[in-house]
Amino acid sequence: MEKVIVVKIGGSTLGSHDTTLEDLVLLQKRGMSTLLVHGGGQQVSSWFSRSAIPSRFIDGLRVTDAEGLEIATAVLAGLVNKRLVLRIQALGGKTIGLSGIDGNVLWASVKKPELGYVGEIARVNTTLLELLLGKGYIPVLAPICSGIVGDGVSLLNVNGDAAAGEIAAAIGAEKLVFLTDVDGIHDDSGKTIARLTPAEAQNMIGSGTASGGMIPKIEACLKALTAVRQARIVDGRASHALLKEIPNGSGGTTIASG
Ligand SMILES: Nc1ncnc2c1ncn2[C@@H]1O[C@H](COP(=O)(O)OP(=O)(O)OP(=O)(O)O)[C@@H](O)[C@H]1O
Ligand SMILES: [Mg+2]
């Protein structure tokens, strides 16, 4: 199939100034295939606090108990996903919202027992995504997936970065772009690093220079780079950040082999 650009947007950049959705519609009008994976960390945290559930993270991943899983599913696959679809359609885009559950797109196992209902993606079924992309839709995917827990199947919360990296690898995307709330990966002095090899990026985690939410992002880049030429981490708060990525972006951090 035609080359696809996989875009991940974070909860923190989903504000009203974000031009990502406009950019997606513009790219669609130009005949380009894009697939959007979203996070929603801020929105989930806000609903956790309304239910008096503390937000706890281990290596950038949200600890999710049974009640937290219900909230994460309702917020990510419900509110956040539907608002994105609504806005893309209002801008004239052709899109459909889904989660990793729908069409069996994402199948996971429990990542670490101490994280609770958090999935580690084991398999991506690209059938539904390819069908939608082939028909000109922008799939908008919420990072909730299915997996075995105990002796039954369960919903699992999965980090949006991980979902994007796995999907980009499985569909052989042209490029993977992370739009986040920083202008790329910073070094120890806070300076943005323009380019990293996969080994150098891995070392950023090992040394502790990359922490929290940057850990799953780097891991997702490393996963995607088995099949994708280039992964980019850029500032999603900048106007038309996504449009400027096509064909080649500037600023931010590029992770690529060689
Ligand atoms: N070396 C680093 N360089 C840049 N940011 C870093 C680094 N180490 C940790 N971070 C943190 O990673 C954060 C980005 O990840 P975060 O998970 O918060 O956002 P997101 O993934 O875009 O959104 P969401 O989790 O809602 O999908 C930055 O805001 C920053 O605090
Ligand atoms: Mg994150």
Side-chain angles (χ1 to χ4, degrees), residues 3-4 6 124 126 164-176 198 219-231 255-257:
K3 287 294 183 186
V4 179
V6 173
V124 182
T126 60
E166 293 284 346
I167 289 171
I171 65 173
E174 167 76 17
K175 188 170 179 174
L176 171 62
E219 286 175 343
C221 291
L222 299 181
K223 169 69 198 191
L225 287 171
T226 56
V228 179
R229 192 174 46 86
Q230 192 187 63
I255 307 182
S257 312

Side-chain angles (χ1 to χ4, degrees), residues 188-206:
D188 282 325
S189 63
K191 199 169 148 283
T192 307
I193 304 168
R195 205 177 167 86
L196 289 167
T197 64
E200 288 165 346
Q202 178 77 62
N203 287 338
M204 300 283 296
I205 300 176

Side-chain angles (χ1 to χ4, degrees), residues 84-106:
L84 286 169
V85 170
L86 180 80
R87 282 164 60 195
I88 295 171
Q89 287 179 170
L91 291 164
K94 183 174 161 183
T95 183
I96 186 157
L98 69 161
S99 75
I101 311 280
D102 303 283
N104 220 2
V105 171
L106 298 178

